Amino acid sequence: MAETNDKTSVSMPTTYDPSQSEKKWYDYWIKNGYFRAGQRPDAETYTIVIPPPNVTGMLHLGHALDFTLQDILIRTKRMQGYDTLWLPGSDHAGIATQTKVEQNLRAEGLSRHDLGREKFLEKVWEWKDLYANTIRDQWAKMGFSLDYSRERFTLDEGLSKAVREVFVSLYNKGLIYRGKYIINWDPKAQTALSDIEVEYKEVQGNLYHLVYPLKDGSGSITVATTRPETMLGDTAVAVHPEDDRYKHMIGKMLVLPVVGREIPVIADEYVEKDFGSGAVKITPAHDPNDFEVGKRHDLPQILVMDESGTMNSNAGPYQGLDRADCRKKIVADLQEQGILVKIEEHIHQVGHSERSGAVVEPYLSTQWFVKMKPLADRAIEAQKNGSGVNFVPDRFEKIYLNWIENVRDWCISRQLWWGHRVPAWYCSDCQEVTVAHEDAHQCSHCCSENIRQDEDVLDTWFSSALWPFSTLGWPEQTEDLQRFYPTNVLVTGYDIIYFWVARMIFSGLEFTDQVPFQDVLMHGLIRDADGRKMSKSLGNGVDPLEVIANYGADAMRYMLSTSSTPGQDLRFRMERVEQTRNFANKIWNASRFALMNLEGFTAADIDLSGELGTADRWILHRLNETSREVTRLIDLYEFGETGRLLYNFIWDDLCDWYIEFSKLSLYGQDEAAKKTTQSVLAYVLDRTQRLIHPFMPFISEEIWQHLPHEGDTITLAAWPAYDEKFEAADAVREMELLMDVIRAVRNIRAEVNVPMSKKVELLVKPSTPDAQTILSRNEEYIRRFCSTSELSISMDIASPDKAMTAVVTGAELFFPLAGLIDIGQEVARLEKEIQTLNGEVSRIEKKLSNEGFIAKAPAKVIEEEKAKMADYAEKRDKVQARLAELKE
């Protein structure tokens, strides 16, 4: 596939066709194993484990952004000589995947219970295999340089072993326990949810004011609730112990309406005496705060609905009703009985299941929990003593710490079939629990074989929390674990700090004594052009494969990776992808031009030791400068700024200026000058492809293979490093003067509508002898790119009576009118230019008179501003002088 020699190939097609290039090169990379880690045993390592996508469907644009940023880092580090590992994998995604498969079964008129656990799991594994292959195909289409030889899945045998090890270890330490607590319950999926799997939405509801009479007939207490159906489970009414209104009632019994059950009035500081009536109904089985109050006062816990959200036998006359229907019926009944005295409209936050969308029910249930405080304390200490992770941007550290400092115990059991089954067995004889690494066949307490395994599975995030080290072989001390752990960076969206990032950190510290990654790079979400979150309901989602089909993978990658700053959301606009494709075409066309002038040229022919012209030294300096800055910015994860830098260098410096300048030598008769230009062109194009390669891997490989090169693939080519020998500040000054002159002449031509095909007379009056030397030395460039019929360069030039004028730093330019325009237009133009220059001078004067700016700005910045002001003032004076001449 790759060139067998380093001779230039000139067979590049007229236009770049991504569809012809992308699969060819990806297959070539995979076939030759270029992405496999461990091939540089003596090199420093650089590791990223991919945030495993769920096997619930296709990858979306958010995945494309996330994975592209990782690929940029991995490709850059690979070219810098690191032994890189980018480990791929996918997540079983418990509730999400099971929900998808159950939806398919319902379409066939079946449920998982019709199939039974074993047959149902076979169906889910079929689903997993289908979508894991789909995801793998999408990775390939996007050009991701993953080490597939190390691909993992969260239900792999090795990862399952790690999960068992962690569960047993935490259980033996007393950090995993089974208890009856209020948890978040999804009545649609009929499973427990962790706190962070609940999305709170603002809902327009009502506040219902209910009167509970005292049993002795001496009065009543009014309470308010947003959920009147839960009153059926009330076991007390609480008041503040210092509330004088109710002190005489504390200890008395109330009669619970409808049910007729007697409940006490209790005193608890949980109640805010200045809020509402100062009395709160206590429903321990259906409210987390009430549950805690109930524990303090030893109150009964009465469930009034079942796991589907249907009212149970404790609901009395409302048994069998759905919770929503029960609310309507009980409100009507309470109004009729005079117990409901007032209804107020009330906007409040209501929890919804992230997966099913159902309203979450706080529900008393027996579940497995992780005791979080000891784990959280260690993570907090690591962060505060400097051994924690580095968040980028750093503001996310506060968000992370705020959550982990206030974290509650983690409910880890799920009432599902798909996932890691809880490794606990219950003995029917002695009622004890056996927790074991291997499947148990007898009770560890009484040796009875009359045991059964817990039906529940573990929260998906329990196995995901181990991902950075379980994928490398832990709990075994494998070579990969010792070499590639801890990893270097985690790239992820800011929306899963709690779900995943925090859990990986405390798990890594607990089981490896190290944080699992050095840096956490947080990127934002992808929104549509109007700033809305992409969703199926809005119909504004974009399929990355469609983008690739229309514009190519490189265009999509470059647009996504360079369109935002860390932590900020990104607005996806198709026109930006189109602009990036145009950028890719610009690179392609520039390379085709070069190759047409490099026929037979080899890598060995590149010789930069000869006499280099101003443009040659300038472009080498700019390439060197760009290489240094791109390297620095990538290390800072500033991909947007990196993209701007590369775009400006390639489009402006290389294509618009150097390639145009190179034509003089390439088409001239001086063979030595031609050879030098060919060398510079070949060298700069080669290094440019290397710099752009992490962002645009396919087109850069295609071009690089046609250029004079050494090696089999650009993926292993050395990263362009800064080299002091290419520093040429004097060449930069020369080129800036030349470019200013050329731009000024072209601007004047545009103003008076004089095409470049029409040659004109140009008089150039340098302001210094140095400027005269530069301009005279580069006279050929000025003649060519200003299209002059006559060119005069002299400090002795007198201003012509009738001419257009431009002032640049270092020279005045005169463009004899010769009847091309009228004087009035030129006077108006110069007056407008004076206004602009006056504005610039005034702006800098204000800045320099600002005491705050002077106090804070570095001395260098202040001097630069002063120099700018002097430059603008000098230009203004010259334009004013020219205006006065014309008016005379």
Side-chain angles (χ1 to χ4, degrees):
M1 176 70 68
E3 296 291 310
T4 55
N5 58 63
D6 62 358
K7 284 194 176 181
T8 303
S9 168
V10 292
S11 59
M12 282 178 70
T14 306
T15 57
Y16 175 61
D17 182 356
S19 65
Q20 296 298 311
S21 179
E22 292 173 355
K23 187 176 187 309
K24 172 184 71 175
W25 288 119
Y26 200 79
D27 288 348
Y28 172 68
W29 295 330
I30 295 298
K31 178 184 175 183
N32 287 280
Y34 295 141
F35 304 154
R36 293 192 64 166
Q39 299 183 73
R40 296 168 172 168
D42 298 325
E44 187 177 344
T45 61
Y46 189 89
T47 312
I48 300 177
V49 291
I50 204 167
N54 295 344
V55 287
T56 49
M58 310 281 278
L59 300 181
H60 51 66
L61 273 180
H63 292 113
L65 167 63
D66 192 81
F67 300 162
T68 296
L69 298 183
Q70 294 169 63
D71 198 31
I72 290 169
L73 293 169
I74 282 290
R75 286 183 180 272
T76 301
K77 294 301 179 182
R78 185 182 293 119
M79 295 173 77
Q80 288 175 344
Y82 287 80
D83 186 8
T84 56
L85 169 58
W86 188 16
L87 190 147
S90 51
D91 196 309
H92 67 279
I95 189 171
T97 305
Q98 179 161 319
T99 299
K100 291 277 190 182
V101 177
E102 288 193 87
Q103 285 173 354
N104 287 354
L105 287 176
R106 279 196 293 274
E108 300 173 21
L110 298 171
S111 75
R112 59 174 159 138
H113 301 287
D114 293 325
L115 296 182
R117 188 166 191 145
E118 189 175 333
K119 290 290 184 185
F120 175 74
L121 289 178
E122 287 177 9
K123 288 280 187 186
V124 189
W125 276 105
E126 289 173 10
W127 173 282
K128 176 265 173 185
D129 290 339
L130 172 66
Y131 280 96
N133 287 331
T134 300
I135 288 168
R136 210 172 287 119
D137 184 56
Q138 287 181 291
W139 283 337
K141 284 183 167 60
M142 295 184 213
F144 299 145
S145 58
L146 295 153
D147 183 351
Y148 292 102
S149 69
R150 289 171 167 84
E151 185 176 357
R152 305 307 298 269
F153 178 55
T154 49
L155 284 176
D156 281 350
E157 182 181 344
L159 273 67
S160 296
K161 183 178 180 181
V163 167
R164 284 274 183 103
E165 175 65 31
V166 167
F167 189 97
V168 173
S169 173
L170 292 177
Y171 179 81
N172 290 338
K173 290 178 180 179
L175 296 180
I176 281 184
Y177 63 93
R178 190 167 184 254
K180 201 170 186 179
Y181 287 88
I182 287 282
I183 48 91
N184 302 298
W185 184 262
D186 182 336
K188 185 173 181 181
Q190 294 193 31
T191 183
L193 303 172
S194 67
D195 290 344
I196 52 180
E197 290 173 303
V198 179
E199 292 181 325
Y200 286 90
K201 300 177 183 177
E202 200 170 78
V203 172
Q204 176 67 60
N206 293 307
L207 196 60
Y208 303 90
H209 295 261
L210 312 176
V211 175
Y212 288 11
L214 284 164
K215 180 187 177 185
D216 63 10
S218 62
S220 63
I221 293 182
T222 299
V223 296
T225 180
T226 58
R227 306 174 67 223
E229 67 277 10
T230 64
M231 68 171 288
L232 303 169
D234 288 356
T235 56
V237 168
V239 298
H240 194 278
E242 302 301 323
D243 193 332
D244 292 335
R245 292 172 294 176
Y246 300 115
K247 277 186 177 180
H248 66 287
M249 296 184 182
I250 296 170
K252 289 189 175 185
M253 301 303 287
L254 297 164
V255 178
L256 182 63
V258 180
V259 180
R261 187 170 64 248
E262 294 181 14
I263 61 174
V265 179
I266 61 173
D268 197 285
E269 292 185 351
Y270 158 69
V271 181
E272 297 178 48
K273 63 181 180 180
D274 297 326
F275 182 77
S277 67
V280 179
K281 62 191 269 317
I282 302 299
T283 320
H286 290 279
D287 182 277
N289 294 315
D290 292 3
F291 175 77
E292 296 299 330
V293 173
K295 281 203 301 181
R296 287 197 290 273
H297 296 270
D298 198 25
L299 297 175
Q301 300 165 340
I302 301 174
L303 277 169
V304 296
M305 62 184 74
D306 64 20
E307 294 174 346
S308 67
T310 301
M311 307 308 290
N312 64 20
S313 59
N314 291 326
Y318 306 101
Q319 182 178 359
L321 290 178
D322 175 77
R323 56 185 174 159
D325 294 332
C326 177
R327 180 178 299 183
K328 294 174 187 176
K329 182 74 168 62
I330 201 169
V331 165
D333 291 348
L334 293 173
Q335 281 179 313
E336 186 178 333
Q337 296 169 24
I339 294 165
L340 176 55
V341 294
K342 185 169 64 171
I343 302 176
E344 292 180 306
E345 288 190 351
H346 178 63
I347 297 174
H348 61 136
Q349 297 286 323
V350 176
H352 291 70
S353 169
E354 184 200 35
R355 298 300 184 186
S356 72
V359 173
V360 168
E361 188 66 41
Y363 194 75
L364 184 65
S365 178
T366 300
Q367 302 285 344
W368 287 93
F369 294 85
V370 173
K371 191 179 292 184
M372 285 300 304
K373 191 173 187 311
L375 300 171
D377 285 348
R378 186 170 181 185
I380 293 164
E381 174 60 25
Q383 206 62 32
K384 292 186 173 180
N385 69 21
S387 63
V389 302
N390 174 43
F391 284 88
V392 181
D394 59 8
R395 68 177 184 273
F396 287 104
E397 180 180 36
K398 292 180 181 177
I399 296 171
Y400 159 73
L401 282 173
N402 182 62
W403 181 77
I404 205 164
E405 285 171 349
N406 297 283
V407 70
R408 297 199 306 175
D409 284 0
W410 174 16
C411 176
I412 56 171
S413 45
R414 298 291 181 269
Q415 289 62 55
L416 305 170
W417 287 354
W418 174 243
H420 294 99
R421 198 163 170 182
V422 174
W425 288 260
Y426 306 112
C427 181
S428 299
D429 293 334
C430 73
Q431 311 305 314
E432 292 288 348
V433 179
T434 297
V435 170
H437 291 92
E438 306 295 336
D439 287 356
H441 301 292
Q442 62 180 30
C443 175
S444 61
H445 302 275
C446 71
C447 298
S448 169
E449 295 182 1
N450 191 15
I451 62 173
R452 59 180 177 81
Q453 187 174 2
D454 195 307
E455 291 290 321
D456 292 349
V457 300
L458 294 168
D459 179 10
T460 300
W461 299 101
F462 191 90
S463 52
S464 298
L466 319 178
W467 186 253
F469 51 92
S470 64
T471 52
L472 295 170
W474 187 93
E476 304 302 327
Q477 291 302 308
T478 63
E479 288 185 19
D480 275 2
L481 183 67
Q482 293 175 36
R483 180 153 175 75
F484 296 107
Y485 184 85
T487 67
N488 292 80
V489 61
L490 171 74
V491 181
T492 189
Y494 61 66
D495 54 330
I496 58 172
I497 293 179
Y498 314 140
F499 281 102
W500 194 41
V501 178
R503 288 170 174 168
M504 283 191 289
I505 293 171
F506 69 68
S507 297
L509 285 167
E510 177 67 17
F511 293 101
T512 71
D513 289 322
Q514 299 179 85
V515 291
F517 23 74
Q518 295 167 14
D519 295 342
V520 178
L521 172 61
M522 295 289 184
H523 60 74
L525 306 179
I526 297 187
R527 301 185 179 274
D528 68 11
D530 297 320
R532 300 174 302 173
K533 189 174 180 179
M534 290 185 174
S535 69
K536 289 181 181 177
S537 60
L538 291 174
N540 61 349
V542 177
D543 181 354
L545 294 190
E546 286 185 18
V547 180
I548 290 171
N550 292 326
Y551 298 100
D554 288 330
M556 184 189 74
R557 287 171 57 114
Y558 196 83
M559 180 268 165
L560 289 174
S561 60
T562 63
S563 293
S564 71
T565 54
Q568 299 298 313
D569 288 351
L570 179 158
R571 292 194 180 192
F572 184 86
R573 294 183 173 89
M574 203 62 79
E575 57 267 29
R576 290 214 59 198
V577 185
E578 190 169 348
Q579 290 167 4
T580 303
R581 181 191 59 185
N582 295 341
F583 177 46
N585 289 338
K586 183 86 167 179
I587 299 170
W588 182 263
N589 292 334
S591 301
R592 281 193 78 249
F593 163 79
L595 287 165
M596 287 188 291
N597 291 278
L598 290 173
E599 187 168 3
F601 204 81
T602 70
D605 293 327
I606 296 176
D607 181 6
L608 302 179
S609 63
E611 185 177 348
L612 300 172
T614 298
D616 299 324
R617 295 174 62 234
W618 170 76
I619 196 65
L620 290 169
H621 171 97
R622 287 290 299 119
L623 171 68
N624 197 40
E625 194 173 50
T626 302
S627 300
R628 180 186 61 201
E629 283 303 290
V630 165
T631 304
R632 183 181 70 84
L633 290 168
I634 288 177
D635 283 344
L636 292 174
Y637 309 116
E638 292 286 355
F639 301 108
E641 190 64 14
T642 305
R644 183 194 65 78
L645 205 68
L646 285 169
Y647 185 95
N648 290 344
F649 171 74
I650 293 171
W651 194 289
D652 296 337
D653 296 346
L654 179 57
C655 297
D656 286 357
W657 288 106
Y658 183 72
I659 284 180
E660 290 304 310
F661 274 39
S662 73
K663 291 175 182 177
L664 286 178
S665 302
L666 294 173
Y667 300 158
Q669 302 303 310
D670 187 334
E671 286 300 317
K674 180 178 179 179
K675 178 73 181 295
T676 296
T677 299
Q678 287 176 313
S679 292
V680 173
L681 200 53
Y683 179 86
V684 172
L685 273 172
D686 171 275
R687 267 56 182 183
T688 300
Q689 301 315 310
R690 300 187 199 202
L691 289 175
I692 205 76
H693 175 71
F695 296 84
M696 293 180 162
F698 293 116
I699 192 171
S700 57
E701 181 77 272
E702 185 73 44
I703 292 172
W704 190 81
Q705 292 287 356
H706 284 85
L707 290 170
H709 67 271
E710 294 176 340
D712 296 324
T713 176
I714 195 173
T715 64
L716 300 182
W719 182 253
Y722 171 79
D723 191 335
E724 195 175 50
K725 73 181 179 186
F726 290 122
E727 282 295 305
D730 57 327
V732 172
R733 287 194 299 273
E734 288 195 25
M735 276 298 291
E736 285 177 350
L737 178 54
L738 285 174
M739 292 188 292
D740 282 349
V741 168
I742 293 166
R743 286 192 198 101
V745 171
R746 288 177 174 177
N747 288 341
I748 289 175
R749 281 177 171 275
E751 281 188 37
V752 296
N753 200 25
V754 176
M756 288 299 293
S757 58
K758 181 178 177 66
K759 292 188 179 293
V760 296
E761 182 182 357
L762 176 63
L763 308 177
V764 181
K765 184 178 182 180
S767 56
T768 65
D770 184 48
Q772 171 147 352
T773 301
I774 293 169
L775 293 168
S776 298
R777 184 164 59 231
N778 294 283
E779 183 176 332
E780 189 176 1
Y781 290 121
I782 298 172
R783 289 186 183 279
R784 168 72 181 271
F785 296 107
C786 294
S787 188
T788 60
S789 55
E790 293 181 44
L791 173 64
S792 299
I793 302 172
S794 172
M795 294 178 67
D796 299 326
I797 287 176
S799 303
D801 288 339
K802 294 182 179 181
M804 291 191 74
T805 305
V807 179
V808 299
T809 303
E812 288 181 85
L813 312 178
F814 304 107
F815 197 162
L817 300 179
L820 294 178
I821 62 166
D822 67 36
I823 299 298
Q825 283 183 337
E826 175 63 358
V827 166
R829 187 187 72 81
L830 292 177
E831 287 176 338
K832 186 177 179 181
E833 189 172 346
I834 288 170
Q835 283 183 345
T836 301
L837 291 167
N838 275 334
E840 292 297 330
V841 171
S842 176
R843 178 182 63 79
I844 298 177
E845 282 178 339
K846 286 180 183 177
K847 185 184 283 189
L848 292 174
S849 63
N850 183 323
E851 292 180 2
F853 172 75
I854 296 298
K856 294 179 181 178
K860 183 182 177 184
V861 172
I862 295 172
E863 290 306 313
E864 286 173 352
E865 290 297 318
K866 288 179 179 178
K868 279 189 210 172
M869 187 171 73
D871 186 45
Y872 284 131
E874 182 185 354
K875 289 177 181 176
R876 179 188 60 188
D877 292 345
K878 289 179 179 178
V879 174
Q880 284 175 333
R882 182 60 186 152
L883 181 62
E885 289 175 5
L886 281 179
K887 286 184 174 180
E888 288 175 3

